[in-house]
Amino acid sequence: MQYTEIMVRYGELSTKGHNKKNFIDRLGANVRQALHKFDQVKVHAQADRLHVDLNGENYDDVMNNLKNVFGIQTFSPTIKVEKTFEATCQAAEAMVAEQVKDHATFKIETKRADHDFAMDTFEMNAKLGGYLLDKFPDKLKVNVHNPDMTIRVEIRLNGIYLSSETIKGAGGLPVGTAGKGMMMLSGGIDSPVAAYLGMKRGVSMEMIHFFSPPYTSPQALAKAKQLTEKLAKYAGSIKFIEVPFTEIQETVKEKVPEGYLMTVQRRMMLRLATAIMEKRHGLAIFNGESLGQVASQTMESMLAIEDVTNYPVLRPVLSYDKTEIIKIAEDIDTYDLSILPYEDCCTVFTPPSPKTKPNVEKARLYEKHMDIEGLMQRSMDGMKITTIHPGEDYLNQNEDVFAELL
Ligand code: ATP
Ligand code: MG
């Protein structure tokens, strides 16, 4: 079937009042970005719908890319024909021939925006239905309540549009409409899922990853980049900010009692994330914490850690069970990467029994022995920012090192 366009229906954003224009413009830009490799495609983001003119491009390929764009509720491959009953019949006939193998029930659902068109909706439904029943007497039966196939016919000023499939979009809000967030991305299972969920609510994420060579290996860094690559398809591209953390961890280990190693390390991470965010004009910090999952993820611990920032620390997977997080990780294809074995900078320095109820006064006190400013400055000086695009490969550049692990 040679479809001429993909008709895209907006999700939640249809209800966003005067912000609507921003939402639609952003979605249009995001769709263009997602489809940029299709030279012939033209995107028209209109008030009620978004239209992707295929101009001969393969509709399956285009739809596969559309599936990753947040802010889309559903979409339908559509064929535009000239404004005659005959042309409408031919297109509908081709749709049935292609989509119905043995038998199916069907109905026609016509909408008419052009009231000068000779047939009204009732007449189009009846006559087109009759035509198809004549053509496919053994295949088709009418069922207006619960049909297998609904052929939608829209009579508009510039043509008649037919579609029969409705495909579920990614939902959520267009990336960028909520502003910029800084994601603290480890190589674990939870933080990539948290990043995905934040992006789904319209956040444009930048990844912050702390690494501690030589305690952490180059492949740990490559893995965090590859996880970012997996998420880049939802945003077009993602900035990856790698921040050296070795000196800080060594200092914490030296100066801070074992029970507070985790708390003070986390406070340092959050201080750095805050400083980076201020430079880059972000609005909130995101992490992959889930309440009660490990020692540092109690409310007491969150209180002691958040003491160092005035910004919101948002936790998209806070209330999710591990099994629920894993399910999403599998759906977004980050799980297999996340479970690759390697030492994270936290794992290396994790004390055997961190405090589950750290005290904020004590954390502040132990930090008095550290040159916080200097440590942060040196860490920030070593920061490196790269832009990660979908399809890029970071793991296989390190094939040799990885071969040992797999
Ligand atoms: P994850 O699976 O996301 O690593 P986790 O359950 O293993 O989470 P922790 O390792 O305690 O939990 O980390 C909690 C959160 O702290 C992570 O979700 C992430 O947001 C942040 N974090 C941990 N390590 C790093 C790191 N090396 N760089 C950036 N952020 C980190
Ligand atoms: Mg972890």
Side-chain angles (χ1 to χ4, degrees), residues 78-85 87-88 117 124 153-162:
T78 301
I79 184 164
K80 177 186 176 186
V81 298
E82 64 177 80
K83 283 173 75 174
T84 64
F85 178 64
T88 309
F117 189 72
M124 177 61 90
V153 179
E154 290 193 26
I155 305 166
R156 287 190 230 149
L157 288 177
N158 64 346
I160 294 181
Y161 294 75
L162 292 95

Side-chain angles (χ1 to χ4, degrees), residues 210-213 215-216 244-255 261 265 268-269 344-350 370 375:
F210 299 100
F211 73 121
S212 298
Y215 306 106
T216 60
F245 204 58
T246 313
E247 192 198 355
I248 293 179
Q249 283 193 305
E250 286 174 342
T251 312
V252 173
K253 177 116 182 144
E254 190 193 314
K255 308 268 189 197
L261 284 184
Q265 260 184 63
M268 289 306 292
M269 280 189 182
D344 186 14
C345 72
C346 298
T347 343
V348 180
F349 286 87
T350 304
M370 292 166 44
L375 285 167

Side-chain angles (χ1 to χ4, degrees), residues 232-279:
K233 62 172 175 282
Y234 302 105
S237 67
I238 297 180
K239 292 267 187 315
F240 182 89
I241 306 170
E242 51 190 85
V243 188
F245 204 58
T246 313
E247 192 198 355
I248 293 179
Q249 283 193 305
E250 286 174 342
T251 312
V252 173
K253 177 116 182 144
E254 190 193 314
K255 308 268 189 197
V256 175
E258 195 168 277
Y260 277 78
L261 284 184
M262 180 60 90
T263 309
V264 174
Q265 260 184 63
R266 291 298 152 117
R267 285 166 61 96
M268 289 306 292
M269 280 189 182
L270 194 53
R271 279 195 179 96
L272 282 165
T274 301
I276 296 167
M277 183 171 69
E278 280 177 342
K279 271 194 167 176

Side-chain angles (χ1 to χ4, degrees), residues 363-401:
R364 286 181 190 163
L365 185 73
Y366 298 137
E367 283 174 358
K368 289 219 175 0
H369 308 293
M370 292 166 44
D371 168 23
I372 306 268
E373 298 269 295
L375 285 167
M376 281 183 62
Q377 190 56 53
R378 288 189 290 281
S379 186
M380 300 272 286
D381 289 345
M383 184 169 103
K384 211 173 116 195
I385 304 178
T386 39
T387 304
I388 294 187
H389 299 93
E392 289 174 352
D393 186 2
Y394 293 92
L395 289 184
N396 293 323
Q397 296 173 354
N398 280 304
E399 213 153 6
D400 298 342
V401 241

Side-chain angles (χ1 to χ4, degrees), residues 184-186 188-191 210 266 287-288 293 297 344-345:
M184 295 175 61
L185 185 81
S186 69
I189 297 169
D190 306 328
S191 46
F210 299 100
R266 291 298 152 117
N287 71 28
Q293 199 187 84
Q297 300 178 15
D344 186 14
C345 72

